[in-house]
Amino acid sequence: MLKTTIKVIIVIILFQTLAFCQEEVKKNDSNKVLLYENGTGLNADSIKLHNIKDSSILKLEIPKTNSKDKIIEHTGYSLLYNEIHEQADWVAYQLTKEETTKLYERTNKFNIDPKVNTITASDIDYKGSGYDRGHLAPASDMGWSSITMKESFYYSNMSPQNPSFNRGIWKKLEELVRTWAIENNNLYIVTGPVLKGEVTSIGINKVSVPKYYYKVILDFSQPSIKGIGFILPNLGSKESLKNYVVTIDSVEKFTGIDFFPLLQDEQENLIESTLCIECWSWKSNTSTNKISDNKEVLSKQCTGTTKKGKRCKRTTKNDNGRCFQH
């Protein structure tokens, strides 16, 4: 009895301390073992939360909302608009490896979001303010369709960012996330301003200027399921992005937003409380994100969705990004 108790304690300690970045294999005796990057292992027979049956949960990227919240859905991303601060509380989207191939250049044509019932910010709010119209969902993540590129320039996707921040460390983080999407094939991303505490504002519409921005990323594909968060001040910085890494739990506490609520509770608790910096690469590979040299786009993946909620796998030459069925 004592030996059994000691074994259980050892397994619990290993389970709590090892990074959530593992591969499931079978030993000769058919027992399942989770192998970690540091070479250690853990018997997985009784750890059901690692045995993920469905890694394609519909709208997994959407944070928890209440019945009064109206989620605005665009082709490439969704958002929850905050009328008081005239910007989104969060912008969420799924980014696949295929979508990192940029087929369309940025338009730089900023427009009011037609799906926001109240008036959004506009050019006049930012003009002469000293702040950039900072993208929340990056235009470079939306270059896989002419529609997604256009929609990425809606003012609902903008937030006042310090130029040195927007063009510096924020841009580096966006490039790094695209690299991760290529390496991990599929990511779920939520990003936005921290709209808590006292903030200044710009323009006639009183657009709030956040002091901080956040970004959380989930890789929910086996065998390396993992999550990571960032909180960055709205200031220029030459520090390493690693200095701004936090757990997703930390971002939730800082923002008051509950991320990835569709995960099973055990999965969500483990992923969001674990931080494994070594599980992610830290060198951007922007060369994989260049637009094709061909002036004519031959074909691209359809932006429509199937009845099961998955992205259509057909290719299309249509400028609207949709195949004959969609």
Side-chain angles (χ1 to χ4, degrees), residues 63 110 169 177 226 234 251 264-265 276 281 292 295 301 315:
F110 296 85
I169 195 167
V177 172
K226 55 189 179 291
N234 190 8
V251 182
Q264 295 177 15
D265 289 342
C276 179
S281 63
S292 171
K295 292 183 179 180
Q301 186 178 357
T315 57

Side-chain angles (χ1 to χ4, degrees), residues 58 304-312 314 325-326:
L58 183 63
T305 55
T306 65
K307 292 181 179 179
K308 293 183 178 180
K310 297 182 179 180
R311 186 175 174 186
C312 177
R314 292 189 180 89
Q325 189 173 7
H326 295 105

